[in-house]
């Protein structure tokens, strides 16, 4: 039993080491477009491409051109006005299917990170891309910042391919405690004290009465003795 649990654990561990837990390998191409002017109907312009050669290993290549002078000015203004930078990711999968994801970050965070950003690509069990999210490599919480324009030259993007996890492990202890608490509040708490602990208040008077009555009636005891003889 213990041995079985141990082996299963090892297998899961191997599954994690050797290429994650998606069923099939494949590739994906992501065309990145961004909106550099804050608007209700953002206009997306070409930013670059990410090719994920293998979804299993997460091997990817990023192609991005340096930003034009006009784009740098737009991005600087977006940051200074505390607006959001929006990214549109158009994913083309191995089977030719296309899906679009939009993600946004605060432009000033992106600017303050010197355009170091992180693209997280999540897969489901069949290896299908289910989310593409942009994050920034810095944790600075800015409120509009003017960043020198020469810092906004070129994106340096890390791509992470995320495989489905084995779901969050349910927290059974807290759950059990919660159930017990609810039961207690409803007065349904299970009484597992011993018989004596539960009924001492009935047993003690009976014992006292027996002791008292045998003390008040020594004849009975004597009779008993006679009978035994
Ligand atoms: C990205 O791919 C598209 C379509 O294949 C192409 O038109 C575009 O020039 C590419 N962009 C870069 C920066 O390589």
């Amino acid at each position: 039993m213990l041995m079985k649990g141990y082996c299963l654990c090892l297998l899961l561990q191997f599954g994690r080491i050797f290429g994650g837990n998606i069923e099939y390998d494949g590739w994906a191409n992501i065309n990145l477009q961004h909106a550099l002017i804050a608007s209700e109907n953002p206009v997306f312009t070409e930013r670059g491409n990410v090719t994920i050669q293998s979804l299993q290993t997460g091997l990817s290549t990023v192609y991005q051109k340096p930003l034009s002078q006009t784009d740098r000015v737009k991005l600087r203004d977006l940051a200074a006005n505390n607006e959001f930078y929006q990214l549109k990711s158009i994913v083309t999968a191995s089977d030719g299917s296309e899906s679009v994801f939009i993600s946004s970050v605060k432009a000033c965070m992106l600017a303050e990170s010197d355009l170091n950003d992180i693209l997280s690509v999540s897969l489901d069990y069949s290896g299908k891309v289910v989310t593409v999210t942009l994050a920034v490599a810095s944790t600075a919480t800015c409120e509009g910042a003017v960043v020198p324009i020469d810092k906004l030259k070129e994106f340096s993007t890390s791509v992470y391919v995320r495989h489905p996890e084995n779901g969050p492990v349910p927290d059974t202890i807290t759950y059990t405690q919660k159930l017990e608490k609810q039961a207690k509040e409803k007065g349904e708490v299970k009484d597992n004290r011993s018989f004596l602990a539960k009924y001492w208040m009935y047993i003690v008077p009976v014992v006292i009465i027996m002791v008292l009555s045998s003390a008040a009636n020594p004849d009975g005891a004597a009779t008993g003795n006679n009978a035994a003889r």
Side-chain angles (χ1 to χ4, degrees):
M1 186 58 207
L2 192 72
M3 199 57 201
K4 250 187 221 163
Y6 186 61
C7 291
L8 184 65
C9 189
L10 265 183
L11 270 179
L12 286 176
Q13 226 32 56
F14 276 126
R16 269 196 205 120
I17 295 163
F18 296 111
N21 42 11
I22 58 171
E23 288 168 23
Y24 307 104
D25 200 5
W27 55 265
N29 185 64
I30 309 175
N31 179 233
L32 300 178
Q33 299 183 4
H34 53 190
L36 297 174
I37 295 173
S39 156
E40 296 244 330
N41 303 303
V43 177
F44 290 94
T45 53
E46 180 74 21
R47 168 172 155 179
N49 294 303
V50 175
T51 304
I52 302 169
Q53 283 97 325
S54 162
L55 293 172
Q56 284 278 4
T57 64
L59 183 70
S60 63
T61 320
V62 182
Y63 309 92
Q64 295 183 113
K65 290 193 196 114
L67 284 174
S68 70
Q69 189 64 26
T70 22
D71 281 356
R72 286 178 214 178
V73 173
K74 282 180 192 165
L75 190 54
R76 184 198 60 189
D77 293 348
L78 209 58
N81 296 330
N82 203 19
E83 299 282 2
F84 282 94
Y85 168 89
Q86 283 180 284
L87 181 75
K88 189 194 233 177
S89 310
I90 305 159
V91 180
T92 310
S94 334
D95 63 2
S97 66
E98 208 178 84
S99 33
V100 180
F101 303 93
I102 292 184
S103 175
S104 55
V105 292
K106 267 195 163 183
C108 55
M109 285 179 71
L110 186 65
E112 285 196 348
S113 75
D114 300 346
L115 305 190
N116 281 295
D117 57 0
I118 301 161
L119 205 63
S120 288
V121 181
S122 310
L123 309 174
D124 68 4
Y125 280 98
S126 68
K128 188 173 178 280
V129 174
V130 285
T131 62
V132 179
T133 354
L134 183 69
V136 174
S138 108
T139 51
T141 47
C142 55
E143 287 299 327
V146 179
V147 172
I149 204 122
D150 53 303
K151 288 215 164 191
L152 306 176
K153 246 185 238 164
E154 200 166 356
F155 285 99
S156 168
T157 306
S158 314
V159 178
Y160 290 106
V161 177
R162 294 171 180 275
H163 294 157
E165 304 265 338
N166 299 318
V169 178
D171 181 1
T172 43
I173 292 175
T174 315
Y175 184 67
T176 315
Q177 282 170 349
K178 200 176 128 200
L179 284 187
E180 270 172 12
K181 200 173 156 238
Q182 280 174 355
K184 223 177 254 173
E185 279 162 7
K186 281 190 210 148
E188 290 171 356
V189 65
K190 203 178 146 208
D191 195 348
N192 43 21
R193 289 175 298 166
S194 76
F195 178 79
L196 268 179
K198 255 189 270 185
Y199 299 113
W200 67 269
M201 67 284 266
Y202 306 113
I203 295 166
V204 168
V206 171
V207 170
I208 290 173
I209 287 164
M210 279 168 69
V211 168
L212 285 180
S213 67
S214 69
N217 186 12
D219 288 353
T223 320
N225 281 345
N226 289 338
R229 230 184 264 149

